[in-house]
């Protein structure tokens, strides 16, 4: 007698078995009949429908594997840009630097931009780096809002970076010398009254007033900036002078130019913000003095340029084991 018992669940039906159920083709997800069975050729196939006599159902099609969801790894944040000013007792100084950094943020809205000071103003650089370290795994580029490689750039900033090992730190080059700095200086002179006629006059000249330093490299940078400014102004004499630590002073430079027949002398202010030095050097101008550079658009672009260059520079091998790196200009 023929065994007409239905096959056990999960086993293939024997050929010619009238109780064998037809296999169901795999169709796109969601194409189900009211009975909950996938549709085949537009019709429903209930579970108890037998295959035609003398035929066998094809083997079930293998289940289609679902592709795993693509998960993109989160990108770590870009290193913070920490702009480091000197600090001043003049309340206008901090306000001016805040405006400069607002302009930097406008140029690159996604960048974490923070202000710090070497001394006199909060937040101090050490406090800013401590706050970054508390966030865990952060990196930072210190951009000195200074104009030469003096003591602060070579000693104070590396010391602060070394005292904050939780933050991987690079130290960018100072703001000068650079054509963008010269652009800002020339614009501030024009705002103070300098004209193309002055550039063509044999009686006009400029004194480039800076803070001063005992570091020869820092003084060389200011002299280079003065030379670039003279070229920008059409060849007019530009003499660097200093508020402290170096000679000549601004009054000395004015007398030197007067001895050469240059009596129409303007003072260009190589300072980021108002303060004691900027006020003192401006007062020595015999004709006109430019305002500090402040939030000039070219200075904001220069801050970002120094940040980008510091990130692009390869880490010096001698500094590879240290938590900070000093970038070149």
């Amino acid at each position: 007698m023929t065994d007409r018992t239905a096959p056990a669940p999960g086993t293939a039906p024997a050929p010619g078995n009238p109780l064998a159920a037809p296999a169901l083709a795999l169709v796109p997800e969601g194409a189900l009949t009211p009975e909950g069975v996938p549709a085949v050729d537009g019709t429903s196939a209930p579970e108890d429908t037998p295959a035609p006599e003398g035929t066998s159902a094809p083997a079930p099609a293998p289940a289609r594997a679902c592709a795993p969801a693509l998960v993109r790894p989160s990108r770590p944040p870009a290193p913070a840009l920490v702009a480091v000013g000197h600090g001043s007792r003049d309340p206008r100084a901090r306000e001016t630097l805040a405006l400069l950094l607002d302009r930097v943020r406008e140029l690159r809205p996604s960048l974490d931009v923070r202000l710090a000071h070497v001394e006199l103003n909060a937040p101090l650089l050490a406090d800013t780096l401590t706050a970054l370290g508390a966030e865990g795994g952060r990196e930072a580029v210190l951009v000195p809002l200074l104009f030469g490689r003096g003591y602060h750039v070579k000693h104070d900033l590396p010391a602060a970076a070394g005292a904050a090992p939780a933050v991987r730190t690079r130290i960018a080059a100072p703001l000068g010398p650079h054509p963008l700095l010269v652009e800002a200086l020339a614009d501030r002179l024009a705002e103070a009254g300098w004209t193309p006629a002055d550039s063509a006059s044999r009686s006009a000249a400029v004194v480039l007033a800076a803070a001063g330093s005992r570091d020869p490299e820092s003084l060389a940078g200011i002299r280079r900036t003065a030379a670039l400014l003279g070229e920008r102004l059409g060849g007019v004499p530009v003499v660097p002078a200093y508020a402290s630590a170096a000679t000549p002073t601004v009054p000395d430079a004015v007398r030197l130019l007067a001895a050469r027949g240059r009596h129409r002398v303007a003072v260009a202010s190589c300072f980021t913000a108002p303060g004691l030095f900027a006020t003192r050097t401006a007062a020595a101008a015999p004709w006109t003095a430019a305002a500090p550079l402040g939030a000039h658009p070219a200075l904001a672009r220069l801050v970002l340029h120094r940040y980008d260059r510091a990130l692009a520079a390869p880490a010096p091998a001698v500094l590879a084991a240290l938590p900070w790196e000093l970038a070149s200009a």
Side-chain angles (χ1 to χ4, degrees), residues 79-85 94 101 105 112-119 121-136 138-143 157 160-161 163-169:
L81 188 162
V82 179
V84 187
R94 191 181 188 284
L101 297 194
R105 295 183 186 99
D112 182 2
V113 178
R114 307 193 187 194
L115 176 62
H117 301 88
V118 175
E119 59 184 358
N121 292 123
L124 294 174
L125 176 56
D127 297 332
T128 299
L129 292 177
T130 297
L132 279 169
E135 297 176 11
R138 290 304 305 270
E139 299 183 27
V141 175
L142 310 186
V143 180
L157 270 61
V167 183
R168 179 69 179 181
T169 304

Side-chain angles (χ1 to χ4, degrees), residues 117-268:
H117 301 88
V118 175
E119 59 184 358
L120 299 177
N121 292 123
L124 294 174
L125 176 56
D127 297 332
T128 299
L129 292 177
T130 297
L132 279 169
E135 297 176 11
R138 290 304 305 270
E139 299 183 27
V141 175
L142 310 186
V143 180
L145 301 181
L146 306 166
F147 299 99
R149 287 181 175 273
Y151 186 85
H152 296 311
V153 173
K154 293 181 177 179
H155 298 277
D156 289 339
L157 270 61
V167 183
R168 179 69 179 181
T169 304
R170 290 176 179 244
I171 302 175
L175 299 181
H178 194 274
L180 286 171
L181 171 59
V182 173
E183 177 183 336
L185 289 166
D187 282 355
R188 289 289 188 249
L189 278 172
E191 293 167 2
W194 186 272
T195 67
D198 293 311
S199 294
S201 172
R202 298 182 63 85
S203 64
V206 173
V207 171
L208 178 63
S213 172
R214 294 182 178 87
D215 189 303
E217 187 178 5
S218 178
L219 298 179
I222 297 299
R223 289 195 298 270
R224 176 59 180 157
T225 298
L228 292 173
L229 180 59
E231 294 173 6
R232 171 114 184 177
L233 297 177
V236 67
V238 177
V239 176
Y242 307 98
S244 69
T247 57
T249 65
V250 173
D252 289 341
V254 170
R255 286 191 289 269
L256 175 65
L257 288 167
R260 299 175 180 173
R262 303 279 178 169
H263 299 282
R264 186 173 171 84
V265 178
V267 173

